[in-house]
Amino acid sequence: MADEVVERIVVAAPPGAVFDAVADVRRMAKLSPECFATWVLARSPERVPKRFVGFNRRGPYVWFTTCRVVVAQPATEFAFDVTTFGLPVARWGFRLAPADGGTQVSQYWIDQRVRGAMILGRVFTGKVANARPAANREGMRITLDRLKRELEPAPGA
């Protein structure tokens, strides 16, 4: 069975605003500790990305992935499948639910790597490829904390 990692946080913002933030994949460069840029290849008529390339860095390692949006339900869920050189890598997503004081954001990662992607992962990302669930959990906590800071009004504002 594939590894799945989920991290949650409550953000004092409505689900629609949270969806807009996570569906704007260009923001990932500010939110994620690994992603430093994205290039949107195609958009839906609603302007939500359909396909994009993610550029990532961890220490001295730099790599890119190709992503295809598989769920884009405003105020509910945004998810995309990641591949590298045509091989499946993972599904990343955000599930949103109303919560007292805002929105519960559940970021998830489902490992979909096949043997070839595991080998490429070790080449392009180093030893972290062998500890991807733990590394992603740490990165998800950082991403969610940054999302919360970005969307919530400053105290006294």
Side-chain angles (χ1 to χ4, degrees):
M1 185 171 131
D3 284 323
E4 181 172 358
V5 176
V6 179
E7 285 292 319
R8 293 175 181 83
I9 197 167
V10 174
V11 176
V18 177
F19 177 85
D20 290 346
V22 298
D24 180 359
V25 296
R26 297 168 301 166
R27 278 179 144 151
M28 277 302 133
K30 289 187 343 188
L31 300 175
S32 169
E34 281 189 357
C35 177
F36 66 88
T38 57
W39 179 29
V40 176
L41 301 171
R43 291 187 183 278
S44 71
E46 297 80 27
R47 304 291 301 148
V48 174
K50 288 174 31 178
R51 292 186 311 117
F52 61 96
V53 177
F55 298 91
N56 308 288
R57 174 180 25 240
R58 187 175 187 92
Y61 296 95
V62 178
W63 70 97
F64 70 92
T65 57
T66 304
C67 307
R68 182 177 58 84
V69 173
V70 293
V71 181
Q73 297 175 343
T76 305
E77 184 173 4
F78 180 76
F80 53 92
D81 284 344
V82 178
T83 62
T84 188
F85 298 102
L87 299 172
V89 174
R91 174 166 292 177
W92 282 93
F94 297 86
R95 291 186 186 102
L96 313 173
D100 190 29
T103 302
Q104 178 175 285
V105 183
S106 300
Q107 184 179 17
Y108 63 93
W109 169 82
I110 302 169
D111 191 355
Q112 298 178 337
R113 295 175 293 175
V114 294
R115 182 166 159 60
M118 289 289 288
I119 293 167
L120 287 171
R122 283 193 294 276
V123 169
F124 289 107
T125 69
K127 292 180 184 177
V128 75
N130 297 328
R132 201 25 93 177
N136 286 349
R137 182 176 301 282
E138 175 187 332
M140 291 160 72
R141 289 177 181 151
I142 292 168
T143 298
L144 291 173
D145 284 342
R146 289 175 179 172
L147 177 69
K148 182 177 179 78
R149 271 186 274 142
E150 181 178 306
L151 295 179
E152 290 186 351

